Structure formats: structure tokens, C-alpha cells
Amino acid sequence: MEICVVGAGYVGLVTAVCVSDFGHNVRCLDIDEERIEALLRGEVPFYEPGLAELMSKNIDKGRFLFTTDIDFALKGAEIVFIGVGTPMNPEDGSVNIDFVVQAAKDIAPHLSPESIVVDKSTVPVGTARMVKKILLENGAPESVEVVSNPEFLREGSAVGDFLNPDRVVIGSDTAKAAETLKMVYHPLVDEGHDFLITSPEAAELIKYASNAFLAVKLTFINEIALLADKIGIDALEVAKGIGLDKRIGKKYLRPGPGFGGSCLPKDTHGLLHIAKSFDTNVELVEKAIEVNDNIPSTLVNKLSDAMSGLEGKKIGLLGLAFKGNTDDVRYSPAISIAEELVKRGAKVKAFDPEATKLAERILADTIEYAESAKQAILGADAAVIATEWVEFGEISISEFREWLSGDILADFRNIIDPKAVTKAGLRFIGMGRQG
Ligand code: UGA
């Protein structure tokens, strides 16, 4: 099939590369010439394992290319994915769909009567219908169809998630458009993956409700972990005991410093606004956001209590990304921890294998940046693990002991064995685990 993907950002690029790997001819369109030039040199503008390799494989096969030329990009395209960004409006947390609106206006005159436009971006309920209206107002043929096909990709494992999804949701008004879209995903149909055909509005809500559910589930286990700390027991044992109940499930029960990233914070706030626009509210989600926002300062309190205050204390901070395997620092709890430490007078030296550059744009010179984990910790009063990079778990306890001046190891990601820490003569501070 001939496919155009509008947007070479995170969602657009992953979609374009993976769909081309299904054997289709894909043209990836972006208005940002610098970005396209970098991509043409094989440079992926964000850290996503496996994406660059898959991209060059499909370029070599001659079925994937980048362009800034809209005429060329859309010529003969049967399917047009809109995969542009939908950031959170910082003033009120609502969803900014300006890029989607602009993309719809731009592509409208180039569409053919058989074209199907697919919303891949995360957009509020009602957007598919609104996009159709914009397309018609801007010269698209009457018969053009708009389908909602939300993405469920995790940063750091987006390629794997795309090629091996739990489900593919297609929100379409007609069976014909839904069937055509299934042809795009033909290898996944053959492999027996679950396809769910719904109305466009249901598909749009499924996306927000999925992320909100994950946010609530995670916040629940984080509250249980903080309770476990008060009781003095191991929250991982509790999480395991809960998760073995198949109705609950084992996944997403790893206590930590809270959810961050570009998706869960944005989509939980987005859901509040969607509910408001339908004259109702989702109080449980509202509360989860509030609880989540407080976790970094609660964890810094623990550290402060153990160190009799943080004024002038040297902290080696391991991790700045919102989770391991990504360079994304948007709404990162590790950044909130750094800010909270600085606010309380601590001197922070941080290391992250991938996210330092992006973190520097937020934290500037309020903290120091190290070139390695050892450099961050060396001579510090305490080491704090804020992101679960595998390499942090590979630092031995004796190395921590040797490098630190002080005796505190705080692991807010639960990647270190707390008993081993105390056995080595260090004091352990965790999130639901006891030394
Ligand atoms: C999330 C969803 O998991 C994807 O399904 C969705 O497609 C994506 O948002 C999106 O809307 O685009 P992502 O933001 O990459 O993916 O991050 P997750 O892996 O879900 O993690 C979110 C946060 O929860 C991170 O801060 C992570 O450290 C934290 N987390 C997650 C935990 O602390 N414990 C867990 O057990 C799981």
C-alpha cells in the first residue's frame, strides 16, 4: 500500500518505520527541514533502541523515505497517518491539538476520494469527527474517511510494542475503512493479535482511559509502598502477593518515585479536561495526579530525616530521565527530586547515561553534571538512584561504599538489594523496602 505519515516526531517516526517494515511504501513528511536533513543522515532525533536500525533497513529496501514536499508525500497515498505532537497546554493542562488541525488543513487539498486519514496522535474525544470537518472545509473529497487508531507505545520499547502489540484499536464509522486499516497491519492480523473495531469516540477514549488506568494502578502501589515503609515491611512482597491475583495482574506494580514522561502526566490531565467538556469529572484520576505530584518531596523528606537536614549536603544523583532506556526528561520525577534537593540547600551532582543534555535545559546550573556514575557519587554524603538504568544496578555495593564519603544509599527505583546495603555498613533508604 502507499502510505504517508505526517510528522517525524516520536509517534510519527515510529509508526512510519514500523508500517514500512510491514512491507508498505511509506513517505514520512515533516515541515522541519533540519529534522528531515538529520534523519536523511540516519540520525534519529531521540533515543529509541532499535529504531535507527529498522529505519535504515527499510530505506535500503527502497520502501521508506523522508520528505518536506507535501505534493510528493501525498501523491497517490491511500492511507495518511497524522502523527504530530499534541502537547499539554501548560496553563491549564488541556490538550493542544493545533498541530493536528494544521496537518488536516495542509493535507486536505491533496487527498483522493479513496483516501483514509488516520489519527495516530493522542487527541481528545471528538477529534476524528472534527478532523473530517476540517478536511471537507479545506477541499478534501466528500468520501474521505477519518479513523482513530491510537498508539500504545512505551518509550524505550516502542518498536517492540508496535510490532508485538497487546491490541490494535481501530475507531471507524465504516467497516470498509476498518478493513482497509487492518490491511496496513496485515502481519499482525496473520499473527493473531487482537484487533478491536469501535466507534472513533470509543477509540479516542480507550487511549486516555488506558493511560489513566496505568497512572492510577501505579499510584496505588506507590501509596501501598509508602505504607509498607511505615510498617517496616517489603512492598515488593506485597506487590507480588497482589499481582498474583490474575484479575489484578503483575505488571505496573513496581513502586518508584511516581509516573512521569510525556504521556501519563499529559493524558491524565487531558482526561480531566475531556470529562469537564462533557460536564462531569473523574475524581479518582484527579486524586492520583495529586498523590503522584507529592511523591518526590516525600522521598526527599526521608533523605532529609536520615541526614538531619540537607543544607550543604553533597548528593550524587543517579538518573535524570523519567525512566530507564530513554533520554526523555519531561515531567521526570528524577528532575523533581533534583529540584527539591536544591531547594533544601543540597549540592547535587548528577549523572544520566542519555538524558543529561535535555536535563540541563531544565536544571541549568542549579546542579553539577558528572560524566559517570562514579564521578557523581565520589565524595558525596549520599547516593540517590532516581532512574532505573541497568548500569546503576550493576554498581557493586563495595563500589558505592568506596566512592561515597557518607554512608547513605537511597534507591527509589528498587534495583539494589537493601539487605546487602546494610550488611556492607551503609544506611539504606528506599521506596517500600527496608535495609
Ligand atoms: C505510556 C504507556 O505505558 C504506553 O502504553 C502509552 O502508549 C504511552 O504512555 C503513550 O501514551 O504514548 P511511557 O510514557 O513510555 O508509556 O512510560 P511507561 O513505561 O508506561 O512509564 C510511565 C511512568 O511510570 C514512568 O515514570 C515509569 O518509571 C513509571 N512506572 C511504570 C513505575 O514507576 N513502575 C511501574 O511498574 C511502571
Side-chain angles (χ1 to χ4, degrees):
M1 296 172 91
E2 294 296 323
I3 295 176
C4 172
V5 177
V6 183
Y10 196 82
V11 171
L13 191 57
V14 174
T15 302
V17 169
C18 292
V19 162
S20 140
D21 202 56
F22 291 158
H24 305 296
N25 291 324
V26 176
R27 280 157 277 171
C28 185
L29 170 75
D30 202 294
I31 47 168
D32 184 340
E33 292 193 2
E34 251 176 61
R35 173 173 287 242
I36 292 295
E37 272 167 28
L39 282 162
L40 287 169
R41 291 193 299 272
E43 294 163 22
V44 174
F46 44 82
Y47 179 80
E48 186 59 48
L51 186 60
E53 293 79 358
L54 203 63
M55 188 172 94
S56 56
K57 172 187 153 193
N58 286 287
I59 291 173
D60 291 348
K61 288 204 181 264
R63 58 188 180 209
F64 182 75
L65 50 84
F66 294 106
T67 181
T68 53
D69 179 345
I70 191 162
D71 284 327
F72 169 68
L74 288 158
K75 206 169 167 49
E78 302 159 80
I79 308 278
V80 183
F81 280 98
I82 298 181
V84 295
T86 49
M88 169 154 64
N89 281 318
E91 318 81 57
D92 63 354
S94 61
V95 189
N96 180 336
I97 57 164
D98 291 354
F99 295 124
V100 174
V101 171
Q102 193 56 49
K105 286 181 182 164
D106 292 344
I107 63 175
H110 302 270
L111 298 172
S112 71
E114 291 77 38
S115 298
I116 298 175
V117 174
V118 186
D119 276 343
K120 197 72 182 161
S121 307
T122 299
V123 287
V125 175
T127 303
R129 244 167 258 292
M130 190 202 71
V131 165
K132 168 109 187 213
K133 197 162 157 269
I134 296 171
L135 293 175
L136 296 184
E137 283 165 2
N138 287 273
E142 191 69 36
S143 58
V144 73
E145 297 223 37
V146 180
V147 168
S148 165
N149 172 221
E151 55 87 12
F152 302 102
L153 314 172
R154 287 163 304 165
E155 288 183 27
S157 45
V159 173
D161 287 348
F162 200 103
L163 301 177
N164 188 22
D166 287 345
R167 78 299 206 192
V168 177
V169 176
I170 300 171
S172 170
D173 280 330
T174 70
K176 187 169 163 250
E179 281 309 311
T180 310
L181 213 64
K182 277 175 90 171
M183 281 156 64
V184 172
Y185 291 101
H186 67 98
L188 304 182
V189 175
D190 295 347
E191 285 166 17
H193 288 277
D194 280 324
F195 277 73
L196 181 67
I197 314 295
T198 67
S199 65
E201 287 79 4
E204 288 162 343
L205 188 55
I206 284 169
K207 168 69 195 191
Y208 281 94
S210 300
N211 274 356
F213 186 87
L214 292 174
V216 169
K217 185 174 184 184
L218 180 61
T219 306
F220 176 79
I221 199 61
N222 280 341
E223 285 213 298
I224 294 296
L226 291 170
L227 174 61
D229 276 337
K230 294 277 182 205
I231 302 169
I233 57 171
D234 190 333
L236 293 197
E237 287 178 1
V238 179
K240 194 169 178 190
I242 303 169
L244 282 170
D245 183 327
K246 289 192 182 65
R247 293 169 303 175
I248 297 171
K250 292 179 200 163
K251 292 188 181 157
Y252 240 79
L253 285 180
R254 195 166 27 82
F259 61 81
S262 69
C263 305
L264 264 48
K266 171 169 84 80
D267 294 349
T268 43
H269 281 99
L271 187 61
L272 301 190
H273 279 267
I274 291 168
K276 219 194 250 169
S277 72
F278 287 90
D279 219 11
T280 183
N281 51 47
V282 276
E283 287 175 47
L284 184 61
V285 178
E286 205 167 341
K287 193 69 195 170
I289 295 171
E290 187 192 318
V291 171
N292 188 65
D293 285 348
N294 288 331
I295 293 176
S297 66
T298 304
L299 296 179
V300 173
N301 282 344
K302 285 191 192 193
L303 194 64
S304 178
D305 289 349
M307 300 179 82
S308 315
L310 290 165
E311 188 64 47
K313 301 282 163 56
K314 287 189 200 153
I315 310 292
L317 183 64
L318 299 184
L320 292 162
F322 82 95
K323 64 174 186 178
N325 250 359
T326 178
D327 62 355
D328 198 339
V329 294
R330 286 174 285 179
Y331 301 96
S332 168
I335 298 278
S336 304
I337 288 171
E339 287 171 336
E340 196 65 36
L341 289 167
V342 170
K343 208 165 88 190
R344 301 190 198 192
K347 293 194 176 92
V348 179
K349 196 168 191 176
F351 171 70
D352 189 287
E354 295 291 337
T356 306
K357 238 204 226 150
L358 292 172
E360 252 185 292
R361 292 194 200 158
I362 303 172
L363 295 167
D365 58 4
T366 58
I367 67 163
E368 270 186 81
Y369 303 91
E371 301 281 328
S372 65
K374 181 179 177 182
Q375 214 185 76
I377 302 166
L378 204 64
D381 299 306
V384 174
I385 299 173
T387 308
E388 73 282 27
W389 283 101
V390 172
E391 65 178 80
F392 298 155
E394 286 167 353
I395 303 171
S396 69
I397 308 294
S398 52
E399 282 172 319
F400 275 113
R401 208 181 48 185
E402 194 188 315
W403 297 341
L404 279 168
S405 267
D407 65 348
I408 291 189
L409 174 49
D411 174 14
F412 296 145
R413 289 290 187 169
N414 294 319
I415 57 174
I416 303 266
D417 174 8
K419 300 280 183 239
V421 175
T422 39
K423 208 169 147 208
L426 294 173
R427 285 190 287 158
F428 179 83
I429 300 173
M431 173 58 173
R433 299 195 83 190
Q434 325 305 323

